[in-house]
């Protein structure tokens, strides 16, 4: 009897997300074997320019190429879906103290990445990982809500009034956990800090 060919399986990883859209699971990024510990280079971009897709009805995985530039916050990011788009916020670069507060969209029909809001220390939410994000609708408008997180204390965005921050020192660096809540209004591309 001939041996059955093994089905494709994604590599082991951690600090990633898997998001359901329709009958498919979309898994991207995370800390995985061979991921360069650099801000960006060709190998990292190549590894991060694929999406792992699982067809729920068959349980089969496949790896599909993407277009556009994927987020640099490759691990510890937050993800949520609205319709046929998956949104990715924040994360860290897999090296040093390089955290992000960028927001990207990924279209599951075109497999194209699009940067909606770049990483900057000039606006909130803070540059962080290990936060969460949910999609909500208010008065017919779509919003993404980013909640909590962990990131560097220095060279970060201004603190949100009313939010709580707790600082810890690790070797020569200071980090903070927070309970920030920020809204991103999709129709205007605007970050909103509730009062």
């Amino acid at each position: 009897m001939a041996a059955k060919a093994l089905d494709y399986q994604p590599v082991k990883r951690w600090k990633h997300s898997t998001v359901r859209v329709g009958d498919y699971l979309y898994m991207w990024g995370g800390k995985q074997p061979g991921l360069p510990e650099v801000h960006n280079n060709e190998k990292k971009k190549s590894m991060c320019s694929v999406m792992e897709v699982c067809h729920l009805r068959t349980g089969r995985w496949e790896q599909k190429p993407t277009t556009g530039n994927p987020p640099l916050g490759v691990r510890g990011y937050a993800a949520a879906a609205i319709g046929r788009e998956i949104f990715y916020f924040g994360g860290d670069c897999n090296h040093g103290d390089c955290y992000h507060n960028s927001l990207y969209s990924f279209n599951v029909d075109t497999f194209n990445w699009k940067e909606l809001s770049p990483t900057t220390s000039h606006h909130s939410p803070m540059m962080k990982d290990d936060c969460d994000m949910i999609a909500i609708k208010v008065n017919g408008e779509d919003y993404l809500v980013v909640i909590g997180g962990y990131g560097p204390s220095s060279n970060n965005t201004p603190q949100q009034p009313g939010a709580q921050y707790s600082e810890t020192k690790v070797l020569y660096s200071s980090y903070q956990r927070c309970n920030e809540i920020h809204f991103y209004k999709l129709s205007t591309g605007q970050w909103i800090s509730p009062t």
Side-chain angles (χ1 to χ4, degrees), residues 64-86:
K64 294 186 171 187
T66 65
T67 58
N69 291 317
L72 292 174
V74 69
R75 64 180 203 178
Y77 57 83
I82 298 176
R84 307 291 291 166
E85 298 277 332
I86 303 173

Side-chain angles (χ1 to χ4, degrees), residues 81-124:
I82 298 176
R84 307 291 291 166
E85 298 277 332
I86 303 173
F87 298 89
Y88 294 85
F89 171 82
D92 74 64
C93 260
N94 194 44
H95 75 96
D97 289 335
C98 190
Y99 292 81
H100 294 267
N101 62 357
S102 57
L103 180 67
Y104 281 76
S105 69
F106 177 78
N107 184 293
V108 300
D109 295 321
T110 64
F111 275 70
N112 187 59
W113 292 101
K114 181 180 177 185
E115 184 180 57
L116 302 178
S117 178
T119 286
T120 178
S121 61
H122 301 297
H123 71 69
S124 297

Side-chain angles (χ1 to χ4, degrees), residues 11 28-50 63 66 69-72 74 93-94:
V11 299
W28 176 79
K31 173 72 172 159
Q32 49 190 298
L35 183 66
E37 293 184 14
V38 298
H39 184 69
N40 199 12
N41 67 13
E42 285 306 312
K43 181 178 179 186
K44 182 178 178 185
K45 184 175 180 183
S46 174
M47 288 181 74
C48 295
S49 292
V50 295
Q63 188 179 73
T66 65
N69 291 317
L72 292 174
V74 69
C93 260
N94 194 44

